[in-house]
């Protein structure tokens, strides 16, 4: 933005540039840039605040000088003259404001002059010292105003509020609240489910804006999403499994939103976040939940199938390689307490996942060698098995009697899940099976017959799927095993 005339210094683009250099000052003064630009009283305060004014002018001159290719001192001199002229326009507009003027959409629509409209809004905002009160004024006016210029002014002011850390925190979307920030960014980009889950002020802004495109709010969506992805803050209360699930869902949402999909910086930050999620400090707690090397390998392979980020996949392949060279692999491959047929099923499932994985061929060869050398009898038993049990993924669950338990393994007719409480042998009841893994995404209701209640609340059950379409998918899934 290169201002030539005084009025240009008051434009939307000029205010966006000023926000870059005056943001910290505005945060401390508890004002928006709209108030700084359109309120003569705030301008006088800035002139009396030491060297802040001169610093702002110089920083703008430096930013503009890079593209104008003119000396900074020359640009500073021009800017001082332009700002002086803009201040006179603002002062003249402010003198026209009626005494006791209160927020009124009709008044701002009828202003007929963008400078007078800005002076009106600045006067109303200055009377509200708290950030939520300022945002409430802007949202209420935005819902009522019909003038495109007034709408852009209000949206730019809301963008300032949502981009200043103290204001954002007061509105429930602080910089330390990554989940609320992500939902806000998706909402401003047009994601309806995210809007419904967002804090009240975001829902109100989206409702007031309607289906109109808003460059200012869309820029907030991009800027704040980049920052949220780059921050170490958790999206899921530091639950690694839920964090990965949310990040994968976020990737899909971003791809479906044109406002965000083409942003290379967002893509890079999401890629870096995936890489952090498969770093040892995040991955190890997930692996510790899995009993035995085979289950750990299955988890790693499932994550590898679901992640398309090259850096994350490389980290996962490194972890797979480490487990395939684990010195106690033979003794700890299956974990404890598995019957021979369960070992065969687990081995067959791991072999299937390894064969389907798009990983380094050397890892596949290493797996074959490990199995051939250490588990020839189990492998043969697995080949004779007609309807194998399949090991469940980390997001696969059984919901029964108001509780959601981890699904451990399953077949066309049986389930092993738990820990679960208050279930007894030979009990018959209904439940819901939730499959969210790299090989099958399916939710279905089923009749359960509890056949075993084991130590630690592990439950063995036969089941009958109640949905014919789901039943057909299950049959096809096991037929392809």
């Amino acid at each position: 933005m290169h201002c030539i005339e005084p009025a240009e210094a008051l434009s939307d683009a000029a205010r966006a540039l000023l926000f870059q250099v005056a943001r910290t000052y505005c945060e401390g003064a508890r004002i928006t840039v709209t108030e700084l630009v359109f309120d003569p009283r705030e301008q006088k305060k800035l002139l009396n605040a030491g060297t802040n004014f001169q610093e702002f002018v110089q920083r703008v001159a430096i930013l503009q000088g890079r593209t104008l290719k003119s000396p900074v001192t020359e640009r500073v001199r021009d800017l001082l003259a332009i700002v002086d002229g803009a201040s006179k326009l603002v002062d003249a507009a402010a003198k026209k404001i009626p005494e006791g003027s209160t927020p009124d959409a009709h008044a701002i629509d009828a202003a007929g002059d963008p400078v007078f409209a800005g002076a009106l809004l600045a006067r109303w905002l200055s009377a509200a010292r708290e950030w939520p009160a300022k945002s409430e004024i802007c949202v209420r006016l935005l819902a009522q105003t019909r003038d495109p210029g007034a709408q852009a002014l209000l949206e730019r002011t809301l963008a300032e509020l949502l981009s200043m850390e103290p204001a954002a925190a007061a509105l429930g979307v602080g910089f330390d609240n990554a989940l609320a920030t992500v939902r806000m960014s998706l909402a401003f980009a047009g994601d309806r489910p995210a809007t419904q889950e967002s804090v009240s002020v975001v829902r109100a802004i989206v409702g007031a804006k309607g289906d109109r495109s808003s460059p200012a709010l869309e820029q907030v969506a991009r800027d704040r999403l980049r920052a949220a992805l780059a921050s170490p803050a958790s999206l899921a209360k530091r639950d690694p499994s839920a964090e990965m699930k949310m990040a994968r869902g976020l990737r899909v949402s971003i791809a479906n939103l044109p406002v965000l999909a083409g942003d290379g910086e967002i893509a890079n930050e999401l890629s870096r976040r995936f890489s952090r999620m498969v770093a040892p400090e995040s991955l190890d707690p997930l692996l510790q939940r899995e009993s035995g090397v085979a289950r750990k390998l299955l988890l790693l392979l499932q994550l590898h199938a679901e992640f398309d980020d090259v850096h994350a996949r490389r980290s996962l392949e490194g972890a797979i390689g480490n487990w395939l060279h684990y010195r106690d692999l033979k003794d700890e491959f299956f974990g404890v307490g598995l019957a021979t047929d369960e070992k065969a099923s687990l081995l067959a499932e791991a072999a299937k996942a390894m064969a389907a994985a798009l990983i380094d061929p050397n890892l596949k060869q290493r797996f074959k060698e490990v199995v051939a050398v250490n588990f020839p009898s189990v492998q043969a038993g697995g080949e004779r098995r007609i309807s194998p049990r399949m090991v469940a993924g980390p997001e696969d669950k059984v919901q029964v009697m108001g509780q959601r338990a981890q699904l451990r393994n399953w077949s066309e007719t049986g389930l092993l899940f738990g820990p679960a409480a208050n279930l007894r042998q030979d009990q018959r009841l209904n439940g819901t099976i939730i499959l969210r893994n790299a090989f099958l995404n399916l939710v279905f209701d089923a009749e359960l017959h509890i056949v075993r209640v084991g130590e630690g609340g592990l439950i063995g059950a036969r089941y009958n799927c109640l949905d014919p379409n789901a039943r057909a998918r299950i049959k096809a899934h096991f037929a392809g095993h």
Side-chain angles (χ1 to χ4, degrees):
M1 175 63 194
H2 308 127
C3 305
I4 298 175
E5 300 295 330
E8 294 177 328
L10 306 173
S11 68
D12 184 83
R15 297 198 310 277
L17 179 61
L18 178 59
F19 182 75
Q20 293 182 41
V21 301
R23 172 176 167 174
T24 302
Y25 172 85
C26 289
E27 288 176 343
R30 301 183 68 81
I31 61 171
T32 61
V33 164
T34 298
E35 293 164 85
L36 181 62
V37 169
F38 289 112
D39 190 333
R41 296 168 300 181
E42 294 298 340
Q43 293 177 4
K44 290 175 183 176
K45 289 179 185 177
L46 175 62
L47 289 171
N48 293 328
T51 60
N52 283 317
F53 174 73
Q54 291 81 359
E55 179 188 339
F56 295 163
V57 171
Q58 187 169 27
R59 287 175 62 186
V60 171
I62 291 172
L63 289 172
Q64 294 181 343
R66 292 171 183 168
T67 53
L68 288 174
K69 301 188 184 304
S70 61
V72 172
T73 53
E74 182 178 316
R75 187 57 187 161
V76 167
R77 184 177 64 250
D78 292 342
L79 282 174
L80 287 172
I82 292 168
V83 170
D84 182 62
S87 296
K88 291 176 180 177
L89 291 176
V90 169
D91 192 55
K95 290 177 180 176
K96 298 177 184 177
I97 299 176
E99 194 68 32
S101 175
T102 57
D104 180 1
H106 296 297
I108 203 169
D109 272 342
D113 171 15
V115 180
F116 183 55
L120 275 173
L121 180 58
R123 177 71 58 86
W124 298 333
L125 292 175
S126 68
R129 294 304 300 166
E130 301 300 322
W131 300 117
K134 293 179 188 291
S135 73
E136 193 276 333
I137 290 171
C138 292
V139 173
R140 179 156 45 87
L141 292 172
L142 183 62
Q144 298 170 355
T145 187
R146 296 293 176 265
D147 178 67
Q151 291 169 346
L153 172 66
L154 292 162
E155 288 163 2
R156 170 63 59 193
T157 307
L158 285 166
E160 295 165 11
L161 288 165
L162 295 167
S163 300
M164 293 191 289
E165 187 167 359
L171 296 174
V173 286
F175 285 53
D176 60 345
N177 193 335
L179 180 57
T181 296
V182 167
R183 287 172 174 165
M184 176 185 73
S185 297
L186 295 177
F188 288 162
D191 188 288
R192 295 190 183 280
T195 300
Q196 294 171 355
E197 296 175 343
S198 293
V199 298
S200 59
V201 68
V202 172
R203 295 197 304 272
I205 292 171
V206 173
K209 179 180 71 68
D211 295 330
R212 287 183 297 98
S213 174
S214 171
L217 294 175
E218 289 170 3
Q219 190 60 50
V220 168
R222 289 186 288 268
D223 291 344
R224 292 295 309 274
L225 183 56
R226 291 188 206 113
L229 292 174
S231 78
S234 172
L235 299 177
K237 298 181 180 179
R238 304 207 173 277
D239 180 337
S241 179
E243 185 88 9
M244 288 183 179
K245 181 178 180 180
M246 291 190 69
R248 293 196 296 272
L250 178 58
R251 179 187 59 198
V252 174
S253 296
I254 290 171
N256 291 328
L257 297 168
V259 170
L260 305 175
D263 192 298
E265 290 184 48
I266 289 176
N268 289 338
E269 292 299 347
L270 187 58
S271 175
R272 294 187 188 100
R273 195 170 190 95
F274 276 126
S275 296
R276 292 197 298 272
M277 284 191 294
V278 296
E281 58 269 22
S282 298
L283 197 56
D284 286 349
L286 283 179
L287 293 173
Q288 288 171 8
R289 300 178 185 178
E290 303 299 322
S291 174
V293 175
R295 292 182 186 276
K296 298 181 195 299
L297 287 172
L298 269 171
L299 173 59
L300 292 168
L301 289 167
Q302 287 171 343
L303 291 174
H304 190 278
E306 293 180 19
F307 282 24
D308 59 4
D309 177 73
V310 62
H311 302 293
R313 282 190 160 188
R314 190 176 298 127
S315 296
L316 289 166
E317 288 186 24
I320 291 168
N322 290 339
W323 283 109
L324 288 175
H325 288 86
Y326 180 51
R327 66 178 184 177
D328 294 325
L329 180 145
K330 181 177 181 179
D331 295 334
E332 299 182 17
F333 190 81
F334 295 108
V336 296
L338 294 185
T340 301
D341 65 338
E342 291 176 318
K343 290 181 180 179
S345 172
L346 182 55
L347 184 58
E349 184 71 359
K352 177 185 177 182
M354 185 66 72
L358 300 175
I359 62 174
D360 184 347
N362 292 324
L363 294 176
K364 295 188 177 187
Q365 183 60 36
R366 171 64 183 173
F367 178 82
K368 290 179 180 179
E369 293 170 355
V370 165
V371 170
V373 171
N374 295 297
F375 314 114
S377 60
V378 176
Q379 187 179 28
E383 290 168 354
R384 291 193 300 269
R385 190 175 176 85
I386 296 173
S387 179
R389 295 179 188 172
M390 291 191 175
V391 177
E395 303 299 333
D396 297 344
K397 311 289 182 184
V398 174
Q399 188 165 299
V400 61
M401 289 186 65
Q403 54 191 317
R404 183 172 289 195
Q406 177 69 51
L407 178 62
R408 303 308 180 95
N409 61 53
W410 69 302
S411 69
E412 283 189 75
T413 58
L415 309 166
L416 179 66
F417 62 93
N422 302 320
L423 297 175
R424 64 181 186 279
Q425 189 168 331
D426 208 34
Q427 185 177 6
R428 296 177 184 272
L429 68 168
N430 289 339
T432 301
I433 293 35
I434 302 165
L435 302 168
R436 302 290 192 204
N437 57 66
F439 309 106
L440 191 61
N441 190 335
L442 183 64
V443 178
F444 61 90
D445 294 327
E447 295 174 341
L448 306 184
H449 178 200
I450 309 300
V451 297
R452 183 177 65 186
V453 178
E455 292 184 7
L458 285 182
I459 308 297
R462 295 192 185 96
Y463 74 95
N464 176 36
C465 176
L466 299 176
D467 181 349
N469 293 327
R471 220 169 23 240
R473 288 187 62 187
I474 293 168
K475 187 174 183 64
H477 179 66
F478 281 93
H481 181 73

